[in-house]
Amino acid sequence: MTALISEGERNPAIVILDFGSQYSELIARRVRETEVYSLVMSYTTSAEELRLLGPKGIILSGGPGSVYEEGAPYCDPEIWNLGIPVLGVCYGMQLMVHQLGGTVEPATGKAEYGKAPLEVSDPTALLTNVLSGSTMWMSHGDAVKELPKGFVRLAHTSNTPEAAIALHEKSLYGVQFHPEVVHSSQGMVLIRNFVYSICSCEPNWTTNTFIDEAISQVQQQVGDKKVLLALSGGVDSSTLAFLLNKAIGSQLTCMFIDQGFMRKGEPEFLMSFFDEKFHINVQYINARERFISKLKGIVDPEEKRKIIGTEFIRVFEEESLRLGPFDYLAQGTLYPDVIESSGTNIDPKTGDRIAVKIKSHHNVGGLPKDLQFKLVEPLRNLFKDEVRKVGKSLGLPNEIVRRHPFPGPGLAIRILGEVTNEKLNCLRDADLIVREEISNAGLYHEIWQAFAVLLPVYSVGVMGDQRTYAWPIVVRCISSEDGMTADWSRLPYETLEIISNRIVNEVKGVNRVVLDITSKPPGTIEWE
């Protein structure tokens, strides 16, 4: 087995072999939307490992390389002889053609990127109910010039003769487009055809099924031992707290470290919600002065992050020893983190796997080894949208399940320059107004994130008959599906006017409000 499959975990019905595509995770998510369990694994996974794993289907992802280049990433050629249906997507299709005796060359004329109408010539099997003329998303500079023996064309576009191909008798299929992206209008029809009709999968990956399996696994792993969870109040740690409370009850202790960088009223809300309302044991640690003192004079954003992360670890270590002993540490690790840390990304020049550094201050990564914790990570095979579904099924209210993402270092990275208590209080008040008015306008759940940023500069203003010299507040509202790319949200002018008037009139130290209309890329979601 590979490192991605741990003992006791469910085996995937569909395995996605990753060749470095930016869409590999998205393929897995789309398969899971059909209620079929899928996992992303490295292209280096051997045919024997796959045989032991026993998936009902394999999908080969796209990738940045060219199959005819030296050092291009190849899968184990024995995969074609396993008798398991395979779908090659973009690079995956070209690799299938190349390894089975066909020819792939640079596209003549022009490469094809963006939307293209698909002309279907064989509306069966993979393309059943995929309408001819439907839009598919192309992204390739190479093209199939000669099909391997036995393969037939299923569809073409104006610029790509072999847009979809098949070797029906061996259930091998390839598409030159990306059915997993939202721009492909009938991509999900194709994916369902592969998952259900070709691979004969059953729709048994549901929220309730996951909860039952996760509770059973936690109980078997933990037994009668004690578990510690660092609770942040975000959807991941909150869902984990509810799940563990259901599984092991009083064996769970949650630790909430208030580092002083939370949004207004959040520490009080979290303690009231978890401890008083749902009777989940939460130990409140007030470390506000400790953290703010460590940031005195610090202006570099990365240095801020490192200091906050290091201090968090120190506080967590001290308090866990005081409250413990604990045998297990629970972490809200999600599947994208597992994929990143496993290093499935590919160097297009060498074909080697690239280890990707996970964002600093993620959960409580980097805890000292001498704490001797064993990890409990029941959410490690879920995507963010699946965590929200699990949280809702467990009884978490929408104010937590559907809350906007919030960075681990909190408001400290939404204050440019040195962090002080005066700036924190100012930003808390402004941030609350932004979120209140977004909610009042009925837009909160249509926006990925809405927040305020404080700039460390002064501008001239006039209030009444007096000249002011105060800070500006930046309003940042963005729309996104997953945070990887984002566009600025087009808020109604009336809402922006209310936000601006309230901040200037109600927040001490602010005399100007500006709007950030930068997309990602080229900008980032956060300012630091």
Side-chain angles (χ1 to χ4, degrees):
M1 295 294 180
T2 73
L4 286 183
I5 309 295
S6 302
E7 184 178 354
E9 290 185 2
R10 166 193 285 241
N11 284 2
I14 302 292
V15 166
I16 295 92
L17 294 186
D18 179 22
F19 290 87
S21 171
Q22 61 180 321
Y23 298 130
S24 295
E25 289 183 32
L26 185 55
I27 296 174
R29 287 177 59 189
R30 293 293 182 250
V31 172
R32 291 188 185 190
E33 286 175 16
T34 69
E35 297 187 344
V36 171
Y37 186 47
S38 63
L39 285 181
V40 177
M41 303 180 72
S42 168
Y43 76 97
T44 60
T45 304
S46 69
E48 179 60 17
E49 287 177 305
L50 289 168
R51 187 187 66 79
L52 292 172
L53 202 58
K56 293 189 174 184
I58 299 169
I59 299 178
L60 309 183
S61 83
S66 294
V67 296
Y68 48 78
E69 291 181 344
E70 184 178 354
Y74 289 176
C75 64
D76 185 342
E78 286 302 311
I79 285 174
W80 313 116
N81 300 319
L82 287 172
I84 299 173
V86 180
L87 171 62
V89 175
C90 204
Y91 178 90
M93 167 179 154
Q94 295 165 9
L95 180 62
M96 179 186 294
V97 169
H98 182 75
Q99 288 190 312
L100 293 177
T103 305
V104 178
E105 297 177 355
T108 56
K110 63 178 181 178
E112 193 171 28
Y113 299 98
K115 298 177 182 179
L118 186 72
E119 301 302 327
V120 178
S121 53
D122 183 354
T124 64
L126 187 69
L127 300 186
T128 301
N129 296 322
V130 175
L131 299 177
S132 194
S134 58
T135 297
M136 294 297 179
W137 185 261
M138 295 286 184
S139 181
H140 64 100
D142 295 330
V144 173
K145 296 302 179 184
E146 183 180 349
L147 289 174
K149 184 178 179 180
F151 275 79
V152 296
R153 176 192 297 175
L154 303 181
H156 67 278
T157 69
S158 59
N159 198 50
T160 304
E162 315 296 351
I165 62 173
L167 181 60
H168 288 297
E169 56 267 34
K170 295 191 71 173
S171 295
L172 302 181
Y173 298 89
V175 293
Q176 190 56 76
F177 49 86
H178 288 276
E180 70 275 15
V181 303
V182 294
H183 308 294
S184 294
S185 61
Q186 293 202 295
M188 280 302 295
V189 176
L190 185 151
I191 290 172
R192 288 192 182 94
N193 287 339
F194 181 72
V195 169
Y196 290 140
S197 301
I198 295 170
C199 299
S200 301
C201 294
E202 297 291 331
N204 56 15
W205 177 246
T206 65
T207 299
N208 290 335
T209 299
F210 168 80
I211 292 173
D212 292 341
E213 291 179 357
I215 288 174
S216 176
Q217 288 174 12
V218 168
Q219 291 172 340
Q220 289 179 24
Q221 179 185 6
V222 171
D224 60 355
K225 304 298 184 182
K226 292 184 177 181
V227 179
L228 177 63
L229 166 64
L231 181 68
S232 69
V235 64
D236 302 340
S237 67
S238 298
T239 298
L240 183 54
F242 266 56
L243 179 66
L244 292 176
N245 186 60
K246 191 170 184 179
I248 58 175
S250 60
Q251 293 169 238
L252 172 67
T253 297
C254 297
M255 184 195 302
F256 171 58
I257 299 174
D258 183 0
Q259 75 313 43
F261 308 137
M262 300 289 285
R263 289 172 287 203
K264 189 165 187 175
E266 280 199 340
E268 296 80 6
F269 164 75
L270 291 174
M271 291 303 299
S272 172
F273 178 80
F274 285 95
D275 193 31
E276 298 175 18
K277 185 174 181 179
F278 286 95
H279 308 293
I280 296 175
N281 179 21
V282 181
Q283 296 294 317
Y284 174 77
I285 311 300
N286 187 344
R288 295 183 179 186
E289 291 305 315
R290 179 168 175 169
F291 276 84
I292 195 73
S293 66
K294 292 292 182 181
L295 294 184
K296 184 175 178 62
I298 304 299
V299 297
D300 180 75
E302 187 58 26
E303 191 175 356
K304 282 185 195 175
R305 288 178 179 271
K306 290 179 179 178
I307 290 172
I308 294 170
T310 299
E311 198 61 23
F312 184 92
I313 290 169
R314 288 174 179 165
V315 174
F316 187 88
E317 180 181 24
E318 293 170 12
E319 296 298 330
S320 64
L321 293 173
R322 180 180 68 84
L323 297 170
F326 297 96
D327 298 281
Y328 290 90
L329 171 66
Q331 288 198 123
T333 306
L334 303 189
Y335 191 47
D337 306 318
V338 176
I339 294 174
E340 281 188 337
S341 61
S342 70
T344 58
N345 287 319
I346 311 301
D347 185 325
K349 294 183 178 179
T350 66
D352 294 332
R353 285 190 288 173
I354 304 169
V356 179
K357 181 182 177 182
I358 298 176
K359 291 178 290 186
S360 58
H361 199 61
H362 171 75
N363 294 321
V364 288
L367 285 172
K369 294 181 179 179
D370 57 6
L371 285 181
Q372 300 298 315
F373 282 127
K374 298 175 183 177
L375 290 180
V376 178
E377 298 176 307
L379 307 181
R380 71 188 306 271
N381 284 330
L382 296 187
F383 289 103
K384 190 78 169 186
D385 53 340
E386 293 174 318
V387 174
R388 294 186 191 279
K389 293 177 183 177
V390 169
K392 190 169 185 178
S393 295
L394 288 169
L396 277 169
N398 280 337
E399 55 195 314
I400 289 182
V401 172
R402 300 185 66 185
R403 73 189 321 201
H404 289 178
F406 189 63
L411 298 180
I413 61 167
R414 292 178 178 172
I415 295 174
L416 275 65
E418 183 181 7
V419 179
T420 65
N421 281 317
E422 182 184 12
K423 291 178 181 177
L424 283 167
N425 291 333
C426 175
L427 183 57
R428 280 196 190 93
D429 290 340
D431 181 78
L432 179 62
I433 290 171
V434 171
R435 290 183 291 116
E436 282 181 345
E437 293 306 328
I438 294 295
S439 296
N440 290 342
L443 299 171
Y444 185 86
H445 297 305
E446 296 181 18
I447 295 174
W448 176 266
Q449 272 180 280
F451 57 91
V453 176
L454 188 146
L455 300 184
V457 295
Y458 290 100
S459 68
V460 175
V462 178
M463 292 184 178
D465 294 325
Q466 294 186 339
R467 181 177 181 271
T468 62
Y469 199 47
W471 292 311
I473 286 289
V474 178
V475 175
R476 178 70 160 150
C477 298
I478 60 102
S479 299
S480 177
E481 282 196 355
D482 52 15
M484 299 300 292
T485 60
D487 193 14
W488 61 281
S489 302
R490 275 66 169 174
L491 300 181
Y493 289 143
E494 295 81 3
T495 302
L496 290 172
E497 182 180 19
I498 294 172
I499 290 173
S500 177
N501 287 339
R502 283 196 60 192
I503 289 176
V504 170
N505 284 292
E506 298 176 27
V507 180
K508 184 179 178 181
V510 175
N511 66 355
R512 190 179 298 272
V513 177
V514 298
L515 179 67
D516 182 351
I517 58 170
T518 312
S519 298
K520 175 188 178 182
T524 55
I525 293 176
E526 299 289 345
W527 273 55
E528 287 202 349

